[in-house]
């Protein structure tokens, strides 16, 4: 089954304790992205990657890191989580990016509910 | 400036009636795609319908149709014969064709739809 797999689904952690949210897709998609969703703000992009070893900042990158060493994986790293990073996080992928990609939506993972206390 | 505007934070509709969820967008691109996603209380993002900027006919998918008015830059979602299972958050999104960061999927803040029995 074609899918984007995020882990964990739920995570409660303490301020300052480094964590990684994993994301893996099995569709050979070039493009991957991370979003956070907060009430009243919709989905805001954190980072995206157009291909292996190519990553770029989205709208809210502060406090996050990503890497794209393999095409299928795009982990989100919080080096020192803070309570304002409590949110619902989504990983998404798309066949490709750029001109001509307008008719390609994103396939989303199931989401990760992160609470930082 | 917001690129995707959903002016209805919340809406109610009677079961079996039709409902329209509003979405306006802002872009200078001639080539773009418009998407609607549904997010039930379980949290996952479910793709509903897509409309390309060059499509002359309004998109339809089962009970969902997209009322695309290009000159007005609006892409309203119409749900016919509402069902209790339609109660969810609905997001309008746009993907521009110019590539780079502008090729990312940009979301509105969402409309919460509640279907009354």
């Amino acid at each position: 089954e074609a899918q984007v797999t995020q882990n964990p689904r739920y995570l409660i952690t303490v301020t300052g304790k480094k964590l990684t949210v994993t994301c893996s897709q099995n569709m050979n998609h070039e493009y991957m992205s991370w979003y956070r969703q907060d009430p009243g703000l919709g989905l805001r992009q954190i980072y995206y990657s157009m291909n292996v070893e190519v990553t770029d900042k989205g709208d809210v990158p502060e406090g996050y890191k990503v890497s794209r060493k393999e095409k299928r994986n795009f982990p989100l790293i919080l080096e020192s989580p803070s309570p304002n990073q409590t949110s619902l996080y989504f990983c998404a992928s798309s066949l490709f990016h750029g001109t001509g990609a307008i008719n390609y939506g994103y396939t989303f993972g199931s989401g990760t509910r992160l609470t930082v206390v | 400036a917001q690129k995707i505007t959903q002016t209805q934070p919340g809406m109610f509709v009677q079961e079996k009636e039709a409902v329209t969820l509003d979405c306006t967008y802002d872009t200078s691109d001639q080539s773009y795609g418009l998407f609607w996603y549904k997010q039930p209380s379980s949290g996952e993002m479910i793709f509903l319908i897509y409309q390309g900027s060059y499509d002359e006919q309004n998109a339809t998918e089962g009970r969902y149709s997209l009322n695309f008015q290009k000159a007005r830059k609006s892409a309203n979602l119409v749900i016919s014969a509402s069902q209790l299972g339609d109660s969810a958050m609905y997001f309008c999104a746009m993907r521009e064709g110019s590539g780079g960061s502008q090729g990312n999927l940009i979301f509105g803040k969402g409309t919460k739809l509640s279907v009354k029995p």
Side-chain angles (χ1 to χ4, degrees):
Chain A
E1 181 189 351
Q3 60 186 358
V4 176
T5 303
Q6 277 181 246
N7 281 297
R9 287 293 306 275
Y10 301 90
L11 179 60
I12 301 174
T13 190
V14 296
T15 299
K17 186 176 181 182
K18 181 179 178 179
L19 67 91
T20 300
V21 184
T22 63
C23 174
S24 180
Q25 51 93 4
N26 62 0
M27 297 165 282
N28 203 35
H29 283 174
E30 288 184 356
Y31 177 90
M32 298 185 76
S33 181
W34 277 102
Y35 287 84
R36 62 177 289 174
Q37 182 184 357
D38 302 290
L41 297 178
L43 279 80
R44 295 178 293 167
Q45 192 173 47
I46 303 170
Y47 269 95
Y48 64 97
S49 169
M50 289 191 260
N51 216 323
V52 176
E53 302 292 0
V54 180
T55 63
D56 210 344
K57 296 177 180 178
D59 297 320
V60 288
E62 294 78 20
Y64 304 95
K65 282 176 57 177
V66 293
S67 68
R68 187 93 181 272
K69 294 185 172 63
E70 306 164 284
K71 199 171 187 179
R72 64 184 291 129
N73 296 323
F74 191 44
L76 179 69
I77 302 158
L78 284 74
E79 295 266 357
S80 183
S82 62
N84 64 12
Q85 292 178 299
T86 293
S87 188
L88 175 59
Y89 291 87
F90 286 102
C91 180
S93 73
S94 177
L95 183 61
F96 65 102
H97 186 70
T99 305
I102 61 166
N103 57 342
Y104 289 94
Y106 289 11
T107 302
F108 282 87
S110 300
T112 296
R113 289 192 184 273
L114 173 65
T115 302
V116 183
V117 299
Chain B
Q2 273 185 282
K3 289 212 167 188
I4 299 286
T5 303
Q6 294 180 253
T7 56
Q8 307 149 315
M11 286 192 71
F12 288 91
V13 65
Q14 202 69 39
E15 193 178 8
K16 299 181 185 176
E17 291 185 350
V19 63
T20 298
L21 306 184
D22 294 340
C23 173
T24 58
Y25 59 92
D26 181 26
T27 181
S28 56
D29 264 2
Q30 296 301 310
S31 178
Y32 52 89
L34 297 157
F35 303 81
W36 278 91
Y37 286 85
K38 173 184 178 181
Q39 186 181 44
S41 58
S42 52
E44 70 268 29
M45 295 290 286
I46 302 169
F47 166 74
L48 293 179
I49 196 167
Y50 160 80
Q51 178 87 40
S53 58
Y54 294 116
D55 295 340
E56 294 188 352
Q57 291 195 322
N58 288 340
T60 60
E61 289 284 350
R63 293 186 300 111
Y64 303 108
S65 60
L66 200 152
N67 184 359
F68 180 47
Q69 297 189 37
K70 195 170 183 176
R72 293 186 177 185
K73 293 188 175 177
S74 75
N76 298 338
L77 177 70
V78 181
I79 305 174
S80 63
S82 297
Q83 301 172 354
L84 296 178
D86 293 334
S87 293
M89 183 72 84
Y90 289 82
F91 291 99
C92 179
M94 176 177 67
R95 192 170 199 182
E96 294 167 308
S98 54
S101 62
Q102 294 174 312
N104 294 322
L105 198 60
I106 303 162
F107 288 84
K109 295 184 178 181
T111 295
K112 185 171 183 180
L113 178 66
S114 299
V115 181
K116 296 188 286 186

